[in-house]
Amino acid sequence: MLWKTFRWAFAVTAVGLVGGVLYDGWTALGIVAVLAVLEISLSFDNAVINAGILKKLNAFWQRIFLTVGILIAVFGMRLLFPVVIVSVSARLAPHEAVRLALTDKERYQELVTDAHPSIAAFGGMFLLMIFLDFILEERETTWLGRVERPLARLGRIDMLSVCVALVVLLVTAMTFATQAHQHGGHHADKAQTVLVSGVAGLVTYLVVHGLSGFFEARLAGGEEGGEATSGRPGLALAGRAAFFTFLYLEVLDASFSFDGVIGAFAVTNDIVLMALGLGIGAMYVRSLTVYLVRQGTLDDYVYLEHGAHYAIGALAAVLLVSIRYAVNDVVTGLIGVTLIGAAFWSSVRLNRATAG
């Protein structure tokens, strides 16, 4: 099972490392390897969350996630996304942004850094909504019961997660505006950018997640494809429900990858090496997601999903804080690993207690 699930990740690793050596010598091999480890460490919580969603899909859409999805993740987010950021934020033609990326790497990195507030606001709000909708929902299994049960009761208030997210966004934008004013207003327009980007992240979550839930409900009610499916436990999503769930997974992956793409500039500003290293890491994250689904790990270790959602909340906070303050990627990675590790250990203890 392990070899079958990870064989493509191993193949991509070999191709990526060889490609790095052919592109820029043996030094590039080390850079590509470091970037791959960075992506895996920052995105482990992504694998756990994705597994919780992916297990709802049928075998066909799981294969699409691992094939077409990885192409979107590698070429879309790890290669094209930084170019699109530069093109939009600096108002450059796409081909000019590519030229900068290949010939003037320092200027390219500077432009991506300037676009960081809008990236962080969009990704931070998208991830914050995932965390809030999880923590404000009543569920039978709780990990930190003294925290989760009162919040779940508060979650009965309609649209509370949206209200909380908007308040957080307003505070973030106002804080950024205060900083800009103290520095002579040079970046005063960035406060508006943060606000608009944050609202865009919020709306994206509501639209994609809402459509996914809508078609999932139709499928469960027997409306999808005219087939009566209600009452069938463990129903695997197909058709439009699966498509929008897949779309939601891709947007989720994009939000998770923001910190990895930005953090990669601390290692190199060469977009080819970035795409190779982050692409290898993304492939392992995808394979790990499928492995968790097929092994039923989330069912065996019931608190893992809780720990991953707390890690999402922490990452959302880190992204929003990074609009004003620099946050080391090591801190970001350690937070996620620590929370998931604690949830895993709690699950092990629960299993031992139940077995005893």
Side-chain angles (χ1 to χ4, degrees):
M1 170 64 77
L2 188 65
W3 165 252
K4 183 178 179 181
T5 305
F6 284 89
R7 66 184 186 277
W8 287 108
F10 297 148
V12 169
T13 301
V15 171
L17 292 177
V18 171
V21 173
L22 294 176
Y23 173 75
D24 198 26
W26 290 102
T27 303
L29 185 145
I31 294 174
V32 171
V34 168
L35 287 172
V37 173
L38 173 70
E39 176 71 10
I40 294 170
S41 63
L42 290 176
S43 300
F44 185 78
D45 47 357
N46 189 9
V48 178
I49 293 297
N50 283 354
I53 301 169
L54 189 66
K55 67 181 182 181
K56 300 177 183 178
L57 302 179
N58 63 17
F60 170 78
W61 281 99
Q62 288 183 10
R63 287 194 298 271
I64 291 294
F65 174 77
L66 196 56
T67 52
V68 177
I70 194 62
L71 293 177
I72 296 173
V74 174
F75 293 103
M77 285 307 301
R78 275 74 179 183
L79 182 60
L80 297 181
F81 174 66
V83 174
V84 171
I85 291 173
V86 171
S87 179
V88 173
S89 62
R91 298 178 182 176
L92 296 173
H95 69 274
E96 181 65 17
V98 173
R99 187 192 66 79
L100 276 178
L102 296 175
T103 62
D104 192 352
K105 297 173 183 177
E106 286 72 22
R107 175 59 179 159
Y108 175 77
Q109 179 178 352
E110 181 183 328
L111 291 173
V112 173
T113 302
D114 287 343
H116 176 72
S118 58
I119 299 170
F122 181 96
M125 291 304 295
F126 189 91
L127 295 177
L128 179 62
M129 281 299 300
I130 294 173
F131 170 70
L132 290 174
D133 275 353
F134 178 84
I135 203 69
L136 294 175
E137 180 183 350
E138 289 190 273
R139 58 190 71 252
E140 292 183 9
T141 303
T142 59
W143 181 32
L144 306 177
R146 293 183 180 180
V147 174
E148 294 173 13
R149 281 190 288 268
L151 289 175
R153 287 193 290 270
L154 282 175
R156 297 171 185 171
I157 302 173
D158 288 340
M159 303 299 289
L160 179 61
S161 59
V162 176
C163 294
V164 172
L166 286 174
V167 169
V168 171
L169 178 60
L170 285 172
V171 170
T172 303
M174 289 171 62
T175 302
F176 193 89
T178 301
Q179 181 202 28
H181 178 73
Q182 290 172 349
H183 287 78
H186 179 64
H187 297 292
D189 61 325
K190 291 294 179 70
Q192 180 179 352
T193 300
V194 168
L195 194 59
V196 172
S197 300
V199 170
L202 176 63
V203 170
T204 300
Y205 172 84
L206 292 175
V207 170
V208 178
H209 188 261
L211 286 172
S212 175
F214 170 73
F215 285 109
E216 183 177 343
R218 285 189 62 189
L219 180 64
E223 297 180 37
E224 187 79 13
E227 183 180 351
T229 56
S230 93
R232 288 167 57 185
L235 174 68
L237 297 182
R240 284 174 292 182
F243 171 75
F244 281 105
T245 301
F246 170 76
L247 185 61
Y248 173 65
L249 274 171
E250 291 306 312
V251 178
L252 178 60
D253 178 75
S255 298
F256 270 107
S257 67
F258 288 150
D259 60 332
V261 172
I262 299 302
F265 281 101
V267 180
T268 181
N269 52 15
D270 190 309
I271 61 167
V272 175
L273 296 181
M274 268 191 214
L276 290 173
L278 297 180
I280 291 172
M283 191 67 203
Y284 277 98
V285 173
R286 291 290 171 119
S287 298
L288 179 60
T289 298
V290 174
Y291 181 78
L292 292 175
V293 171
R294 292 175 179 172
Q295 292 293 105
T297 304
L298 297 185
D299 295 328
D300 295 336
Y301 301 95
V302 295
Y303 297 137
L304 266 184
E305 196 169 0
H306 292 74
H309 277 90
Y310 279 107
I312 282 182
L315 179 56
V318 166
L319 281 171
L320 295 176
V321 168
S322 70
I323 293 174
R324 180 168 181 177
Y325 302 102
V327 181
N328 193 295
D329 289 319
V330 174
V331 174
T332 306
L334 284 177
I335 290 175
V337 171
T338 301
L339 287 168
I340 292 176
F344 176 78
W345 178 241
S346 295
S347 301
V348 171
R349 292 178 60 188
L350 176 67
N351 292 342
R352 288 176 179 174
T354 303

